[in-house]
Amino acid sequence: MNSRLRAIFVVLLVWAVIYLPALGSIAIKGEEGRRILPAIRMLESGDYIVPQVGSNPYFRKPPLVNWLVAASFRLFGVRNEWTARLPSAVAVLAVAIAFVTVARASLAPMGSTIAALIWMTNIGVIEKGRLIEIEALYVSLCGLAIIFWLSFWIQRKSPWLIWVPASLFLGLGLLAKGPTHVIFFYAIVLAVLWHAKDWRLLLHPAHFAAIAVVLGITAAWAIPFLHRTTTELAVLKWSGQFTGRLKGVDFKFVSWIQNIPRALIYFLPWVLLFPFVRFSKLRDGTQQRLARALAWGIAVPFLAINLVPSAVPRYSMPVIAPASWLLAMSYVGNALQWPQGMAMRNNRAWTQIVAVFVGFGLFIGAIGYPLTAVILSNRQQIKKAAAEINTLVPTSEILYAVDPDYQPVFFYLKAPLEYVSQISDLPANTHYFLVETDNEAEAAATPKWAPRRARLLARARDYRKRELLLFEVRP
């Protein structure tokens, strides 16, 4: 791996094998619709400031992921699962490329390549990198900030180069999800500076300029957003996202006590190697101090976040990038040691284990996901629900959705879709409209189109067991 181009080629090949097969073959699920539907609405309306889910502004998350999905749709000219999920996969690739380029001088050629492979082949990143969820983008941006800061600090670059590039990724991270990633970034920074006794770097003007860059990137969207919406409501929603977690809203002890084990699962199979790491075996004191700093910078926020009431394991995923760095550093530094009494003691055994773990990731991406797509091809309820509606509504007709809230099935509808807040807002020339079950009686009884009447055509149920009712207005 002494050749930079060869390392990049290996990373690209492994990434393509893991993240591209069957990327668009499984129907959207979970929160994916909340990232896709606002993107479609942005393209239709031209409004990229206020994300919308259904007919309502979406306050809970910033819009960076929606922007990227919209850009992918526009770039490829196609709206499907593949183009929707591609930004997540590309974000994962960006971190891997950063490892083998930016971190190459700090981790050495072999170490940087191993770090990239560890990053791409753990279960958490594979899962999130193949979905258009916030985590892949958010965790990747945090990882990029850490890689740039740590690489340039180790290489003794200018403080401006240490702080400012990292701040760009931190600012984008705020536009992806919010400020939680800053905790993970500064946990690494403070731990490294503490062990190196280099506190003056925090007081350098470059650090304050970096903070200004982070806030400026956020303000570039937040200020226009607040001018376009009700400020009090937006602030209330944003603050509720954080205080709700701290207060333990919807706290469930059984789930909370499982947070740490489930969070460790995200870093399988590589987490199995950490019990064998011995920092004392690293070649010099500088490497040992850095390894211990990284260990503290990983462990403290990992435990702190997972112990917060109402936290969920994925919140601690930003530790995966520095954990990949630490494990790769330990591997190339021969700091992996078998316990006393175990027969396997040579370094070749560790190389074989690393190869098996990388092969495990390749198997999941190249075989596991395509096989899953084949198994689920006839069991994807959301596509069945959309197909039922598509057979009944001509593509030449406008389909109206009445106060729809979040309906992922809309992604698969072929007829042009328009949102209205209530049945009374439906236009006089309405032919087809959708309502939720709460509005069924009103939809059936309204005299709005007399002498025509609204007749129930179908009940479409998605994977959440929620029903959408399709009505046709006819004589």
Side-chain angles (χ1 to χ4, degrees):
M1 293 303 167
N2 290 329
S3 166
R4 187 187 301 267
L5 289 178
R6 185 177 298 173
I8 293 174
F9 173 77
V10 168
V11 165
L12 286 171
L13 180 62
V14 171
W15 171 79
V17 171
I18 294 175
Y19 290 91
L20 296 185
L23 182 62
S25 300
I26 299 175
I28 63 173
K29 60 181 181 178
E31 296 290 290
E32 286 190 289
R34 295 191 192 275
R35 319 306 164 210
I36 297 172
L37 295 177
I40 294 175
R41 192 67 173 168
M42 287 175 175
L43 291 172
E44 293 173 346
S45 66
D47 182 0
Y48 293 87
I49 300 298
V50 183
Q52 290 187 333
V53 173
S55 56
N56 300 315
Y58 185 63
F59 294 98
R60 296 180 60 184
K61 295 294 184 292
L64 181 60
V65 67
N66 308 130
W67 292 344
L68 293 177
V69 174
S72 181
F73 288 163
R74 179 67 61 85
L75 177 65
F76 290 97
V78 177
R79 299 179 187 178
N80 56 27
E81 297 95 333
W82 194 92
T83 53
R85 290 169 176 154
L86 187 62
S88 291
V90 171
V92 172
L93 175 63
V95 176
I97 295 295
F99 268 124
V100 295
T101 54
V102 178
R104 184 179 178 86
S106 305
L107 274 170
M110 177 60 73
S112 62
T113 304
I114 293 296
L117 294 175
I118 293 172
W119 162 258
M120 290 189 295
T121 56
N122 61 82
I123 287 178
V125 172
I126 292 176
E127 177 194 352
K128 301 302 182 182
R130 294 180 57 96
L131 296 172
I132 185 55
E133 286 282 14
I134 290 178
E135 272 67 36
L137 175 62
Y138 164 74
V139 172
S140 295
L141 288 169
C142 184
L144 287 168
I146 292 172
I147 291 169
F148 273 74
W149 188 93
L150 196 56
S151 298
F152 294 146
W153 181 84
I154 292 173
Q155 297 167 38
R156 300 302 180 190
K157 300 291 187 181
S158 161
W160 294 96
L161 194 58
I162 292 172
W163 286 111
V164 175
S167 70
L168 298 175
F169 299 112
L170 292 176
L172 292 173
L174 284 173
L175 291 181
K177 186 173 183 177
T180 310
H181 67 297
V182 176
I183 298 173
F184 294 93
F185 174 77
Y186 274 101
I188 295 294
V189 168
L190 294 175
V192 169
L193 297 182
W194 171 44
H195 279 78
K197 304 297 189 290
D198 190 16
W199 295 112
R200 289 181 300 175
L201 189 61
L202 290 173
L203 301 178
H204 194 280
H207 184 202
F208 297 104
I211 294 173
V213 170
V214 173
L215 297 177
I217 291 174
T218 309
W221 165 76
I223 292 174
F225 176 84
L226 292 174
H227 278 294
R228 294 276 307 278
T229 58
T230 305
T231 303
E232 294 79 5
L233 180 59
V235 172
L236 180 64
K237 293 284 187 180
W238 291 347
S239 62
Q241 288 287 292
F242 302 102
T243 58
R245 300 297 180 188
L246 296 174
K247 292 178 180 177
V249 177
D250 297 327
F251 175 76
K252 297 178 181 178
F253 178 78
V254 174
S255 297
W256 177 77
I257 203 67
Q258 298 178 50
N259 275 355
I260 292 177
R262 290 168 60 193
L264 291 173
I265 289 174
Y266 278 128
F267 199 52
L268 282 174
W270 298 100
V271 71
L272 299 176
L273 296 185
F274 275 111
F276 303 101
V277 174
R278 302 292 183 269
F279 297 148
S280 60
K281 294 190 65 178
L282 290 168
R283 65 178 180 270
D284 56 48
T286 300
Q287 289 285 300
Q288 293 172 14
R289 287 192 296 273
L290 177 60
R292 291 189 177 94
L294 289 176
W296 279 105
I298 292 166
V300 171
F302 176 84
L303 293 173
I305 293 296
N306 280 301
L307 292 176
V308 170
S310 298
V312 294
R314 68 175 185 273
Y315 293 171
S316 59
M317 284 185 66
V319 303
I320 292 178
S324 300
W325 182 303
L326 178 58
L327 197 56
M329 177 181 169
S330 301
Y331 172 76
V332 297
N334 296 319
L336 293 171
Q337 177 176 301
W338 296 105
Q340 294 293 331
M342 292 189 68
M344 298 171 59
R345 296 195 177 188
N346 56 8
N347 290 332
R348 181 174 295 180
W350 291 117
T351 302
Q352 293 169 345
I353 291 174
V354 168
V356 169
F357 285 179
V358 173
F360 174 71
L362 292 169
F363 175 83
I364 292 176
I367 299 176
Y369 275 95
L371 184 60
T372 301
V374 172
I375 294 172
L376 296 179
S377 59
N378 295 319
R379 305 179 188 178
Q380 302 184 65
Q381 187 61 37
I382 188 172
K383 287 188 174 182
K384 289 183 179 180
E388 186 176 4
I389 296 173
N390 287 333
T391 58
L392 296 171
V393 181
T395 56
S396 58
E397 293 281 356
I398 296 177
L399 176 60
Y400 293 92
V402 180
D403 190 23
D405 192 32
Y406 167 51
Q407 300 293 346
V409 71
F410 288 171
F411 178 61
Y412 296 99
L413 298 184
K414 296 180 180 179
L417 192 66
E418 296 285 348
Y419 299 113
V420 296
S421 299
Q422 50 194 357
I423 291 175
S424 59
D425 294 333
L426 289 167
N429 62 347
T430 299
H431 289 159
Y432 298 92
F433 65 93
L434 292 165
V435 298
E436 294 191 86
T437 52
D438 293 345
N439 293 322
E440 179 180 3
E442 181 183 358
T446 180
K448 180 179 178 65
W449 299 282
R452 295 184 302 155
R453 297 291 299 273
R455 183 172 67 90
L456 180 64
L457 287 185
R459 296 176 180 270
R461 177 178 296 184
D462 64 13
Y463 62 88
R464 303 170 301 164
K465 308 302 181 184
R466 293 181 60 175
E467 284 189 332
L468 271 180
L469 310 183
L470 173 64
F471 280 85
E472 179 186 15
V473 180
R474 58 180 296 181

